Amino acid sequence: MGRAIGRALVCFLAGGLWWLFVEPQFPKNINAGLAFAADPAWNRAEALLTIGLCALIGVAGGALQGLTRGSRTQMIQSTVAGLGFGLAAGFLGRIVMGMVFDALMMGQAASIGGQNPTSVVRALTFLPLGMFLGAAVGGTQFSVRGVSAGAVGGMIGAIVTGILFDPISAILAVPMLATTDPGTVQEIGGPGRAFLCAGLGFFVGLFTAIADVLSRKAWVRLVLGRNEGREWAIDHSATYIGRDERAGIPLFGDPDVAPHHATITRHGGMYTITDAGSPVGIGHNGIRVANCVLHHGDSIQIGRHQLQFLLRGAGAARPPVTPMPQNQPMQSGQPMMQGQPTPHVPTQTGLNIPQGATIATTSAQLMGAPATLVALSGPLTGQRFTVNTLTVIGREGDIALADAQASRKHCSVSPSPGGVQLTDLGSTNGTLVGGARITQTFVGNGQTFQIGQTQFRVEA
């Protein structure tokens, strides 16, 4: 919901700023015998307001869409697309909106002293504009689902804006002022236009974001790594993962992530992940694989990043996973899984299997007692910590270290057969194994690792 509110506020500001720019261009006095819509200057200002409003909201929504994907290149592409789609939405929406209004008002344009449109008429009139505008915002995702979800959200936003238009305009409007020029009337539609611009931006931004989330069938969430919590919808037949700016799931700040590291492929309702020949490989539920089928809740490890694959409407149970044997270790000198397919095991973060482990012993260890960390030195000397799941160690970690040499979130450990998977989280002073700094490695039973003044021994 936070992302929906964020998009709503960004589009609200875009609409409000555009109203401030265009409003001075509306004529304020006109011959009492004419409708304002018949005045050329008023028509030019109204066209500029409508088309420019859609373009600016499209730019704002596109820029935000690209920013949330985490890539500068995608932000530029989405911003430019938002501008183009927004301009098209403004042109088409204005034409269709005028046709709908004329039909609903039985051919009578709104004029001073004429028939006043009801809230229902307002809502139905704004609906095509909202539909085109929402589709423009959703189109910045470059997917059919994004366009359709945006159109639905835009229509809902336009209906809400239309229903609230007259009550809020009446609250904002000042009383009709007598003109000093006999035979003319004064136009006081500024407050209404202010609400139209800001309100349409807010509600279209809000409901397009909500519709986008509700319409996703599959997506990936970053649960460990830079920009934790970011999510990417899996809309295309192939979604690339890597540190390339053009990747569908861009992961930066980790040299172990290749430019094109892996690919998630959609086959109807089935999703698979395939290693693209990366040096360190990919992990699926704690085991290195070449390719495998993804199920709801599966853990994917790409370098130091941990992702979670999610499916809408999926049950808690997952069918067995078939890991594929590899010809390369996860890191130089580290062992890997060999042999036949293994039954599905609980989600893990580590990627390496201890040397000599077999399928049978691996399954037994995973179903047995978790590893324990024993503090051999430092402020926690003598204390024991059970590692049931991903555990962060640091001054503000799950295992808190009162050590000036430790970073706030120094490293993480996660269960792995016969030990733990140890990952440095970009700490200042590093995480040491055997006296050498590591980024990620397996630490087996009886082995130790060092964080500042604290040394831990693994007991598995």
Side-chain angles (χ1 to χ4, degrees):
M1 192 62 184
R3 294 181 182 179
I5 295 297
R7 181 187 288 185
L9 292 176
V10 168
C11 294
F12 169 84
L13 290 174
L17 289 173
W18 187 248
W19 174 80
L20 288 174
F21 173 75
V22 177
E23 183 59 29
Q25 302 183 47
F26 278 88
K28 300 305 178 185
N29 295 287
I30 195 170
N31 189 298
L34 296 176
F36 278 95
D39 183 79
W42 194 95
N43 266 323
R44 286 193 298 269
E46 185 272 335
L48 180 63
L49 180 78
T50 305
I51 298 172
L53 173 67
C54 292
L56 193 58
I57 291 176
V59 167
L64 188 61
Q65 176 65 36
L67 184 64
T68 57
R69 295 187 71 85
S71 165
R72 183 185 309 162
T73 298
Q74 293 188 22
M75 184 179 73
I76 294 173
Q77 291 174 343
S78 296
T79 302
V80 174
L83 175 61
F85 295 157
L87 285 171
F91 276 109
L92 293 174
R94 181 170 179 266
I95 293 171
V96 178
M97 185 171 64
M99 295 169 59
V100 170
F101 183 78
D102 287 345
L104 292 174
M105 295 296 292
M106 297 176 294
Q108 296 181 22
S111 62
I112 298 299
Q115 184 180 1
N116 293 319
T118 65
S119 292
V120 173
V121 171
R122 294 281 193 194
L124 294 177
T125 300
F126 293 164
L127 189 145
L129 184 65
M131 180 184 69
F132 287 118
L133 177 56
V137 173
T140 59
Q141 299 184 60
F142 305 104
S143 69
V144 175
R145 183 196 64 83
V147 173
S148 58
V152 171
M155 287 191 289
I156 297 173
I159 290 172
V160 174
T161 303
I163 292 173
L164 297 177
F165 182 87
D166 284 330
I168 292 183
S169 296
I171 295 172
L172 297 176
V174 294
M176 179 75 74
L177 298 178
T179 178
T180 57
D181 186 5
T184 64
V185 293
Q186 187 174 34
E187 201 266 353
I188 58 168
R193 288 188 290 271
F195 174 72
L196 171 63
C197 293
L200 191 66
F202 181 85
F203 290 116
V204 168
L206 177 67
F207 288 108
T208 53
I210 293 175
D212 176 64
V213 171
L214 294 179
S215 66
R216 293 187 304 189
K217 294 181 179 179
W219 66 99
V220 169
R221 177 183 299 151
L222 181 62
V223 296
L224 180 64
R226 182 177 173 183
N227 298 316
E228 293 176 14
R230 181 164 285 167
E231 296 180 351
W232 298 270
I234 308 299
D235 289 330
H236 304 286
S237 58
T239 302
Y240 302 109
I241 307 174
R243 70 168 187 267
D244 192 302
E245 285 275 346
R246 297 164 295 179
I249 302 177
L251 302 174
F252 303 119
D254 183 357
D256 289 335
V257 178
H260 178 192
H261 199 105
T263 304
I264 296 178
T265 307
R266 185 185 65 194
H267 308 275
M270 183 177 71
Y271 298 82
T272 60
I273 186 167
T274 303
D275 185 6
S278 60
V280 300
I282 60 174
H284 175 256
N285 294 332
I287 300 174
R288 176 171 175 169
V289 296
N291 58 75
C292 65
V293 177
L294 292 172
H295 304 285
H296 178 67
D298 279 359
S299 174
I300 305 167
Q301 188 129 5
I302 307 291
R304 285 177 285 178
H305 294 80
Q306 184 185 352
L307 307 167
Q308 186 177 33
F309 178 78
L310 299 167
L311 281 170
R312 185 168 304 283
R318 293 177 291 183
V321 176
T322 305
M324 306 296 293
Q326 295 291 296
N327 297 321
Q328 293 180 334
M330 291 303 296
Q331 292 182 334
S332 178
Q334 291 294 325
M336 63 180 181
M337 173 65 79
Q338 298 284 354
Q340 300 300 317
T342 183
H344 177 71
V345 296
T347 300
Q348 305 289 342
T349 311
L351 300 180
N352 297 312
I353 304 300
Q355 191 169 6
T358 64
I359 299 298
T361 59
T362 295
S363 299
Q365 287 169 332
L366 285 173
M367 297 303 292
T372 299
L373 302 184
V374 181
L376 304 179
S377 62
L380 301 178
T381 299
Q383 297 189 41
R384 304 170 67 88
F385 305 90
T386 301
V387 182
N388 292 304
T389 184
L390 179 73
T391 303
V392 175
I393 305 175
R395 296 201 313 274
E396 298 179 6
D398 301 313
I399 300 178
L401 288 179
D403 186 345
Q405 297 181 34
S407 298
R408 291 189 307 110
K409 294 186 177 181
H410 196 101
C411 67
S412 69
V413 290
S414 56
S416 193
V420 297
Q421 187 73 19
L422 176 65
T423 303
D424 186 80
L425 300 179
S427 63
T428 302
N429 296 313
T431 304
L432 307 181
V433 176
R437 291 183 67 152
I438 59 93
T439 55
Q440 184 182 68
T441 190
F442 173 82
V443 183
N445 181 36
Q447 295 182 317
T448 62
F449 61 94
Q450 184 97 16
I451 301 171
Q453 302 175 19
T454 302
Q455 186 179 54
F456 290 96
R457 182 179 69 234
V458 176
E459 294 183 359

